Amino acid sequence: MAGLVAAKKCITPLVVIKRLSSPEYKAQAAYHKKVVDHYENPRNVGSLDKTSKNVGTGLVGAPACGDVMKLQIEVDDHGKIVDARFKTFGCGSAIASSSLVTEWVKGKSIDEALTIQNTDIAKELCLPPVKLHCSMLAEDAIKAALHDYRLKQKDGKIEAVKASN
């Protein structure tokens, strides 16, 4: 029953206020309103200082479609993600997926952020099957950014031990 409710939510018709010509209407109707919102009003676009020990950077791509996604997360001293930024080269669904995950990871711990799955992203944005690779890229970008952050933390501990010897 829950799947039916989610399906009904995803296939609601697009409300168009202005009269669109045929090519414009087809472009608007191809994406769910949540994708269009994140595409037209992307959240957290930009970069963080990749050299900072508190910033993890994930760069992932899908050679088949040409989408490339860079996600950066900033983690405070308590292990909480305090900021996230992205830059994406790709379709509207790839940009929307990137924008959404930057909102979702903020305020989460590293372990909580790792629980975000591509299926959650796809469901939230109502992505059609042909665009599921965009949500997979976003999940991979989160994992890559967190992996980079953890490597920097490990390197910092090794340097501190070497300095104390």
Side-chain angles (χ1 to χ4, degrees):
M1 189 65 166
L4 182 60
V5 173
K8 284 184 180 180
K9 182 175 81 171
C10 289
I11 55 175
T12 55
L14 222 101
V15 177
V16 180
I17 297 173
K18 69 177 187 168
R19 186 177 202 134
L20 298 173
S21 66
S22 181
E24 283 181 298
Y25 178 74
K26 287 178 183 171
Q28 285 287 322
Y31 290 104
H32 188 271
K33 62 185 175 182
K34 291 179 182 181
V35 173
V36 173
D37 178 44
H38 277 278
Y39 175 76
E40 290 180 347
N41 307 296
R43 284 68 149 180
N44 307 306
V45 176
S47 295
L48 298 169
D49 179 11
K50 67 180 179 184
T51 62
S52 171
K53 73 175 186 94
N54 290 337
V55 173
T57 302
L59 184 63
V60 295
C65 66
D67 292 343
V68 178
M69 196 176 286
K70 179 177 88 170
L71 176 70
Q72 293 181 299
I73 50 115
E74 182 178 357
V75 182
D76 69 10
D77 294 334
H78 306 291
K80 183 174 272 193
I81 299 171
V82 293
D83 200 4
R85 301 282 175 196
F86 82 93
K87 286 188 178 180
T88 294
F89 177 82
C91 65
S93 295
I95 293 167
S97 295
S98 304
S99 175
L100 179 68
V101 298
T102 61
E103 290 187 315
W104 279 6
V105 298
K106 284 185 181 181
K108 291 192 181 328
S109 69
I110 293 170
D111 292 333
E112 291 170 333
L114 284 171
T115 65
I116 296 172
Q117 297 181 335
N118 69 73
T119 51
D120 302 325
I121 300 162
K123 187 175 181 180
E124 178 66 23
L125 294 173
C126 301
L127 295 178
V130 72
K131 293 294 181 179
L132 291 180
H133 67 279
C134 298
S135 62
M136 291 177 200
L137 270 181
E139 179 185 345
D140 291 344
I142 293 169
K143 290 177 180 175
L146 292 171
H147 178 72
D148 181 57
Y149 168 76
R150 285 184 167 160
L151 281 177
K152 285 182 177 181
Q153 299 310 301
K154 188 184 288 186
D155 288 345
K157 288 179 184 175
I158 291 170
E159 289 176 18
V161 169
K162 285 181 182 177
S164 66
N165 289 335

